[in-house]
Amino acid sequence: MKIAVCIKRVPDTETRIKIAADGKSIDESGVKFVLNPFDEYAVEEALKLKEQSNGEVVAICLGPEAAQETLRTALAMGVDRGILLKAERLPRDPLVVARALAAELEQGGYDLALFGKLAVDDYDQAVGTIVAELLALPSVSAVTRLEITDGHATAQREVEGAVELVEFSLPAVVTAEKGLNEPRYPALRGIMLAKKKPLDIKEVELDEGGIEVLELTLPPDRKSGRIVGEGAAAVPELVEALRNEAKVF
Amino acid sequence: MSDILTVLEQREGVVKRVSHEALAAARALADELGCEVHALVIGPPDTDVTGLGQYGADKVMTSLDEELTLYQASRYAQIAADQAMGGAYTTVILGATSLGKDLGPRIAARLGCPLTSDVTSISGVDGIVVTRPVFAGKAIYRLKITGSPSVITVRPNAVAPVAASNAGVVEEVSASDDVKPAVARTLEVRAPDNAALDVAEAAIVVAGGRGLKEAEHFKLVEGLAQALGGAVGASRAVVDAGWRPHSEQVGQTGKTVSPNLYIALGISGAIQHLAGMRTAKVIVAINKDPDAPIFKVADYGIVGDVFEVVPRLTEAIVKAREG
């Protein structure tokens, strides 16, 4: 099988967000960037499938020059080669991002394209599914179990309070939910090998799409609350406050 | 003038509350733009579509078929895109649920239009402007949608359903037979025996963290959630430790929730967790460490041992609810 994994470079989830001077983006100074956590599940699944059936795993990343590091992380985990679709800024419109990735995937002749279910920065949860539609491929999003036999697949998808069981045939697009697997850590040997693996860089031109950022702000501070007391003795006062002050029941 | 299409979601033939919320968002936008709200219901033949006018729909279009009982991504997308195609609609609105987050992108792709996900407000006064949290709520975008049409998904619990008196005239629409060959088929939906309320949709969430010390002690969390009629949530630490399923995880790599009441038990409040729950209307924290960051976002806090406080609280709430 030839498998593509589409990955993204995002700020680490422990990042404390600061707004940049333009008021429309984050201040990236001092921010640690990582491979998007949901993409780790996609990479791991691709590597597991390769272990079963041989073939090739290619990581594709749309992002700035610095996203080479993100690709190297995937290569260190065991991905065979990387493609950086280099664009300094990603527009807000997921359709534009999806079009760029779809154009690259279309040329690759992949049996399967894996994505993380969402990127923890923009939180769109859209790009993988849009790519599938643009390529007229079957797709399942937020998958927690995937089984593939002879080009036929079944996936389990998380929905509110239940799971859906979906069947489809390859080629296809699948987006990974937490729980699909346990991503491996890159071993030292993997990190050394990754340095020598091929990484192609292609410049891409992205248009702005149909969404304009007016403003990025920090959420309003919650007005400060109060400690109603210590230990079990404080329970009556808490219940009283919830009932008569906050009126939540 | 183009109208607004709201794609509603049903489960077992009952339209979900989140769709009433989506209708409310659509109604408010339509009133600003001076246009109509049309609802599209896709589901099994016995789906109840009466009374949707009271939630703000001027017209209700139905596409009901046995084969549409479960969410069939390709067919649902085709039906919705068929309706939205051709310039009759300026905006397509859905609830940002598991279904909406899968169907919204498909419609946007088929229309070749922009999509904004998980918005918490929509305004039509100066073009269509939405607010939406990013970084799981650590920051908020104000975005102007310059493309038309566009698809918008609305976060559950962000907009309250309205009481309206629109016509809600029901009209059947037939699905086109021209289904693309590349389809995935949903075979079944499995709900666990103890089908739990989902943490992302619940109006009340009781969440537990490391302070519970052992997986077994989550009985305390479940007991309080049950007393309140709420859902159980969990911190990343306890999900990673395997105590709880990841479907309960609240935070940046889990679910982002906006319930009316969020009770955090033995959760210290890591940045990525706070991001996922800080838009709750009322936050209560119970933790034995008075310096835990969770107290900085809590409206009410009790400094104390969860093993002492929670049984008493559960008991008091059962009593309060009976009274």
Side-chain angles (χ1 to χ4, degrees), chain A residues 13 123-124 133 141 178 222, chain B residues 102 110 132 249 278 280:
Chain A
T13 55
Y123 242 69
D124 269 344
E133 290 281 331
S141 62
K178 183 170 183 172
R222 290 187 69 94
Chain B
D102 189 80
R110 288 172 192 230
R132 62 157 313 211
Q249 186 185 324
R278 60 171 299 142

Side-chain angles (χ1 to χ4, degrees), chain B residues 32-51:
Chain B
E32 284 172 348
L33 298 174
C35 67
E36 291 198 346
V37 174
H38 297 177
L40 173 64
V41 186
I42 308 171
D46 60 353
T47 304
D48 182 8
V49 294
T50 54

